[in-house]
Amino acid sequence: MDLLKHKDAGFLLCLILVLGTALTPLQAVIDNTLFDRVTISRDSYDSPDPILIDIDDKSLEALGRWPWPRHLHAEMIDLLNQAGAQVIGYNIAFVDPDIEEPLNDLRLREAISKSANIVLPVFGESGTTVYPFRNPQIPNGSQLGHVEVDVDSDGRVRRTFLKAGIDEPNWPAFGLAMLDNTTVLNTFFPGTRAPHHRMGVNRKWSRDREVLIPRPPQAVSFQRFSFIDVLEKGIPSNIFNGRPVFVGIQAAGLEARFLLAGDPNLNMVSGTVLHANLYQALVQHAVLTPILPIWGLCYAIILTALLYATFILLEKSIVIRSLSAVLSVIFLALPPLAVYLGYWLPIGASLVGAIVVVGFIILKAMYAHNNKTRTDQITSLSSKRMFDETLSLEWEQAIRKKTPLSVILIEIDQFKRFSETFGPERANWVQARVGHILQNHQRRSRDLVARTGSAQFAVVLPITPNAIAYSLAEKMRSDVESLQIEHVKAHQVITISTSIITTSTSESLELQDWIKQGYQQLNTAMANNGNYSANCAPSASSANASA
């Protein structure tokens, strides 16, 4: 609760937790978890959905072990061209020459050259760019796209780089290369630009235009066919007309497989499926451009400061607090607005900051509720509950250590009649004035002044002899009378009656009986027109008191 009293320290703790989150892997863990639950309503365009042709176990069983003779790939390319495929993404790395049948390489290159639009993979290896046929002079009619897959620490694929390459990021991503002849990205080219120190590094794989691919509202399911079924013309050729086609390895054990972001079923997919998913997300304007983490940290600090100021720091500054509340609402709306506009704002640190502030708000509410039950709302003195708890503890201490404990019981004389005559507001004012007088006579921090009833008060005085307690009670009674607050009758003012009781070795009463004795004595004092201090001084010649 000290943090609620020292609000600057609480705010400093919030900032430390925000910075700790932003500068540790916890930021990525929170952001990845949130990102996996984000869905994007993809824009509807007339562009056709991709078709996947899988080199699967069925095809391997029919055509033999991998790698296949390259004339089979040439036949597939010719067949897809004749079927009118819009663009062919042939995700097979034709790296080393076909030593056994060199003519097959020539046949494949001729098929690629005849193709109106075909995309082949390119990648980096040992500081060099690996081209198809290990020849930078690619066949006519073909384009190159890099096939790098960026896997996060939890094994899921959420991001890719639209540009990459050795020394300079000059090769488009495979899925992007399939779009080079379309106008989908003419209005806006997404992706976070890489810092300059990450670009142009000699003999290093450089990347640029980072994008995130959130899951669609419904699971991605492409129309898929087995390679052998298409090659043997078991599939009607008109299915491929005007459609983008991806050809890739699907059989287990031949290529790495990956987990898509947000897939609860943990289905492993091939790299070709990832490229097809990127293609479709780009066509439907569903990729998100990640905002740099430094801006996410700035957002977290500002949002935490606004929330803390609104709910904790600026409790009495209504105008500034209202302005802070409005700014908080605006800042809270920024992450969904960013997603709507095609950006992803890192919010892991800001989420931690907001949770910590909410925690402070809950603690503050609990603390206020606890204080409300322990503090009288009219006089700001301790409540009846606080009096009972304190008296019980001090009684046990007095009995155990054999020290005197005095209690002054107080009641405003004829207060009910005063309240009925002047009304509750005036009555409350009188109670507050009397409470203030009583509080002024508190000698030590251990003493307790409490309001115990409608017009009743009590003062607990640990380690205080009866004579001193009686002297205090008389001063209180005299000070209240000197206020000269008009009562009901003319020439009559507000007064109090008191009853002083003190523990001693002569009593054998329980605590409740001891207090009851004090109230009986107080009633006797009030019965004689009030403004009287009744004292029951303890006798020193009796048996020990017991708790």
Side-chain angles (χ1 to χ4, degrees):
M1 295 307 173
D2 290 339
L3 288 176
L4 297 177
K5 297 177 182 178
H6 305 284
K7 297 175 182 178
D8 293 342
F11 180 60
L12 182 60
L13 175 61
C14 289
L15 291 185
I16 290 174
L17 292 174
V18 167
L19 289 172
T21 302
L23 300 178
T24 61
L26 181 60
Q27 165 91 3
V29 172
I30 297 174
D31 271 318
N32 289 342
T33 302
L34 293 174
F35 180 80
D36 289 346
R37 285 158 176 75
V38 170
T39 60
I40 300 293
S41 298
R42 300 186 170 184
D43 295 337
S44 178
Y45 290 93
D46 293 333
S47 57
D49 292 332
I51 293 178
L52 270 61
I53 297 179
D54 296 329
I55 299 174
D56 52 9
D57 293 332
K58 177 182 178 181
S59 301
L60 290 175
E61 184 178 350
L63 299 174
R65 61 182 299 179
W66 188 261
W68 292 335
R70 290 187 177 168
H71 69 85
L72 295 176
H73 301 292
E75 292 177 20
M76 176 60 71
I77 293 172
D78 288 339
L79 190 152
L80 293 175
N81 281 326
Q82 293 170 9
Q86 181 190 67
V87 59
I88 304 170
Y90 217 94
N91 188 23
I92 305 296
F94 301 114
V95 178
D96 297 317
D98 192 334
I99 300 176
E100 297 181 1
E101 295 290 341
L103 292 178
N104 284 345
D105 280 342
L106 181 60
R107 170 81 186 281
L108 178 57
R109 291 177 69 92
E110 289 177 351
I112 294 173
S113 298
K114 293 178 182 179
S115 177
N117 194 6
I118 187 167
V119 178
L120 298 174
V122 64
F123 54 93
E125 185 178 74
S126 302
T128 60
T129 302
V130 179
Y131 297 93
F133 308 105
R134 294 195 180 272
N135 187 346
Q137 299 297 324
I138 60 176
N140 294 331
S142 61
Q143 300 181 65
L144 297 182
H146 79 80
V147 289
E148 178 196 23
V149 176
D150 194 89
V151 182
D152 287 340
S153 58
D154 60 354
R156 293 185 180 269
V157 178
R158 300 179 177 89
R159 70 194 71 242
T160 191
F161 292 84
L162 298 183
K163 297 285 186 178
I166 298 294
D167 295 339
E168 293 289 340
N170 47 11
W171 299 114
F174 197 83
L176 175 61
M178 298 278 287
L179 278 171
D180 273 357
N181 291 334
T182 70
T183 59
V184 173
L185 300 179
N186 281 353
T187 56
F188 172 69
F189 196 87
T192 302
R193 299 307 307 271
H196 292 293
H197 69 271
R198 293 180 57 191
M199 299 175 58
V201 181
N202 190 34
R203 313 296 289 175
K204 295 293 184 180
W205 185 257
S206 301
R207 305 182 295 183
D208 193 14
R209 295 286 182 179
E210 179 184 3
V211 295
L212 298 169
I213 310 174
R215 62 177 181 174
Q218 298 179 350
V220 176
S221 57
F222 300 107
Q223 195 171 8
R224 309 177 72 158
F225 302 105
S226 176
F227 189 97
I228 185 63
D229 291 338
V230 177
L231 193 64
E232 292 182 348
K233 300 182 180 180
I235 306 298
S237 60
N238 60 353
I239 289 179
F240 304 102
N241 186 34
R243 303 276 292 278
V245 179
F246 286 81
V247 181
I249 297 175
Q250 182 67 25
L254 294 183
E255 279 193 356
R257 301 174 73 80
F258 309 94
L259 281 172
L260 283 172
D263 183 3
N265 299 320
L266 303 180
N267 293 321
M268 305 293 287
V269 300
S270 66
T272 305
V273 174
L274 294 180
H275 303 316
N277 189 37
L278 171 62
Y279 169 88
Q280 191 174 55
L282 287 170
V283 168
Q284 297 174 340
H285 290 187
V287 297
L288 297 177
T289 298
I291 298 173
L292 292 177
I294 184 63
W295 296 114
L297 175 59
C298 293
Y299 170 79
I301 292 174
I302 295 173
L303 178 62
T304 303
L306 288 173
L307 291 175
Y308 195 87
T310 301
F311 293 101
I312 298 176
L313 202 59
L314 302 174
E315 291 180 316
K316 297 181 180 180
S317 304
I318 303 300
V319 176
I320 302 177
R321 187 182 186 187
S322 300
L323 178 61
S324 178
V326 171
L327 291 176
S328 297
V329 172
I330 293 174
F331 267 75
L332 286 170
L334 286 182
L337 178 63
V339 171
Y340 176 78
L341 296 176
Y343 293 90
W344 175 259
L345 177 65
I347 58 174
S350 59
L351 182 62
V352 169
I355 291 174
V356 174
V357 172
V358 170
F360 273 116
I361 295 172
I362 294 173
L363 286 175
K364 181 171 174 289
M366 294 173 60
Y367 183 68
H369 176 73
N370 187 56
N371 274 353
K372 187 175 181 180
T373 59
R374 292 173 179 268
T375 304
D376 179 63
Q377 301 303 302
I378 296 176
T379 63
S380 298
L381 300 176
S382 296
S383 65
K384 176 68 165 58
R385 173 186 171 186
M386 190 68 177
F387 167 74
D388 292 338
E389 292 177 357
T390 302
L391 180 60
S392 178
L393 292 174
E394 295 295 351
W395 172 269
E396 293 177 2
Q397 290 270 2
I399 296 302
R400 185 170 65 253
K401 297 182 179 180
K402 300 185 183 307
T403 56
L405 169 66
S406 295
V407 173
I408 304 174
L409 301 176
I410 305 162
E411 186 165 351
I412 301 175
D413 296 321
Q414 301 182 23
F415 185 75
K416 182 179 180 182
R417 187 178 178 186
F418 177 90
S419 178
E420 291 173 347
T421 302
F422 291 100
E425 291 186 3
R426 182 72 174 175
N428 290 343
W429 177 81
V430 167
Q431 291 181 79
R433 291 296 303 276
V434 171
H436 181 69
I437 293 293
L438 302 181
Q439 186 73 55
N440 286 341
H441 288 284
Q442 182 177 350
R443 303 171 305 143
R444 298 169 296 185
S445 60
R446 189 171 169 183
D447 295 350
L448 180 81
V449 182
R451 176 173 176 254
T452 57
S454 175
Q456 293 180 336
F457 301 84
V459 182
V460 180
L461 302 169
I463 320 178
T464 302
N466 180 265
I468 295 177
Y470 179 77
S471 175
L472 281 173
E474 277 294 284
K475 290 178 180 178
M476 293 175 183
R477 184 188 62 77
S478 176
D479 287 351
V480 170
E481 184 179 12
S482 66
L483 291 175
Q484 293 295 300
I485 300 174
E486 182 183 1
H487 209 306
V488 177
K489 292 183 179 180
H491 308 294
Q492 185 177 1
V493 296
I494 290 292
T495 59
I496 60 173
S497 296
T498 66
S499 170
I500 303 95
I501 53 175
T502 304
T503 59
S504 71
T505 58
S506 63
E507 296 175 359
S508 58
L509 297 175
E510 296 289 340
L511 173 59
Q512 297 301 323
D513 294 333
W514 182 68
I515 286 292
K516 184 178 180 181
Q517 186 181 70
Y519 277 114
Q520 290 174 347
Q521 185 175 273
L522 178 62
N523 292 333
T524 301
M526 294 183 65
N528 296 321
N529 296 322
N531 196 19
Y532 178 74
S533 295
N535 184 24
C536 183
S539 171
S541 60
S542 299
N544 292 337
S546 62

